[in-house]
Amino acid sequence: MYYGFDIGGSKIALGVYDENRRLQWEKRVATPHSGYAQFLAALRELVEEADSRFAVVGRVGIGIPGMPVTDDGTLYAANLPAASGRPLKADLSSLLGREVRMENDANCFALSEAWDDEFRRYPLVMGLILGTGVGGGIVYHGKAVSGRRFITGEFGHMRLPVDALDVIGRDTPLIRCGCGKTGCMETLLSGGGFAWLHQHFYHQSLSAPDIIHRWQQHDAQAREHVERFVDLLAVCLGNLLTAIDPDLLVLGGGLSNFTYLVEQLPQRLAPHLLPVAKAPRIEAARHGDAGGMRGAAFLHLTD
């Protein structure tokens, strides 16, 4: 059995999957913040409960928002204060008496989608999350490509390509990103960026869902805004796809639920790719909130 933990600042979610990658059981508990010992104990208790329930020694994978293993062997995760700065991977492996694998949660998202029953036939899968932030991951032959510091797939912190300014106007101010840089793709392609662009052009403070609702009601400004946003997304993706050349692109995050974006991208991408290139298959994510658990569990599938 494969155990996948999706650990966030407020909850720890465990999903148990069988050899056919089917969910058999899941449980959620609050993330402990009182201390490292309590954090480890919460994970151990969940693993022991799963072991007992299924009479196995399950294989444990963990997805976390941050760097699972830094140069000194410790975890970096700002929203997990009880465990950040601690050697979580090593300590948990010792505590449980088995190898524990850890990955960045965005890589787990991509891994979950790459192991979808239909998608698993694609050798190179790129996942792109368009949500509160912009991130993603790359999966090659069923295995996440992490990079030396687990930042492969941090697409949102690449700079806007120069052609993006042709779409939004060269006088459009560039926004400072949470990473401290200015002009990151995340500042305009995230849900917040989607809303900011609308406010910049139309001087109305609306949320992304409100703008999409107006688009559905055929509001002229919302329609114009969405067309501009799809063109901007296509410009940015043109650069990413030229570098990665995936067989499949899976879009996740809140904006991926706006099906018009997914439907329009293939034709909008063509001008931004090399003449010999072709847009990959583009699909919305199929596993939603379960992606973190699934991807973490599937860290052991490539043995």
Side-chain angles (χ1 to χ4, degrees), residues 48-260:
E48 290 176 347
E49 184 176 354
D51 283 352
S52 176
R53 177 179 288 266
F54 295 98
V56 298
V57 177
R59 309 185 74 177
V60 178
I62 294 177
I64 60 99
M67 292 174 62
V69 184
T70 58
D71 286 345
D72 63 0
T74 62
L75 167 74
Y76 172 75
N79 66 344
L80 300 177
S84 192
R86 304 280 191 155
L88 178 62
K89 184 177 185 292
D91 286 349
L92 198 55
S93 295
S94 176
L95 184 66
L96 298 175
R98 70 198 79 175
E99 179 192 10
V100 172
R101 296 185 180 179
M102 296 178 64
E103 255 298 352
N104 175 273
D105 55 357
N107 289 338
C108 287
F109 154 76
L111 194 61
S112 169
E113 295 297 327
W115 278 99
D116 175 82
D117 287 348
E118 181 182 353
F119 295 164
R120 64 179 298 200
R121 63 191 173 96
Y122 294 104
L124 182 57
V125 177
M126 172 181 164
L128 179 67
I129 301 168
L130 303 175
T132 304
V134 173
I138 300 169
V139 177
Y140 183 63
H141 287 293
K143 186 174 182 178
V145 180
S146 303
R148 187 168 71 89
R149 296 180 179 272
F150 294 88
I151 59 173
T152 299
E154 288 286 358
F155 306 122
H157 297 295
M158 296 178 69
R159 298 297 170 273
L160 291 162
V162 64
D163 292 350
L165 300 180
D166 292 334
V167 176
I168 61 175
R170 294 187 175 273
D171 58 345
T172 300
L174 298 180
I175 310 168
R176 181 170 294 276
C177 180
C179 73
K181 307 277 187 185
T182 299
C184 290
M185 290 186 190
E186 177 170 297
T187 61
L188 296 182
L189 298 184
S190 63
F194 181 86
W196 183 89
L197 274 174
H198 186 275
Q199 182 176 20
H200 170 70
F201 283 101
Y202 307 111
H203 311 293
Q204 291 178 295
S205 181
L206 299 172
S207 68
D210 288 338
I211 297 166
I212 292 170
H213 176 72
R214 292 192 177 199
W215 179 89
Q216 292 167 337
Q217 301 301 312
H218 303 284
D219 177 84
Q221 289 183 344
R223 291 264 163 170
E224 183 179 65
H225 168 69
V226 166
E227 294 305 309
R228 182 186 297 111
F229 184 83
V230 178
D231 285 339
L232 174 64
L233 180 57
V235 167
C236 294
L237 271 175
N239 275 16
L240 298 178
L241 295 178
T242 298
I244 299 167
D245 193 23
D247 300 285
L248 170 70
L249 170 64
V250 181
L251 298 179
L255 286 178
S256 72
N257 297 319
F258 186 21
T259 57
Y260 183 76

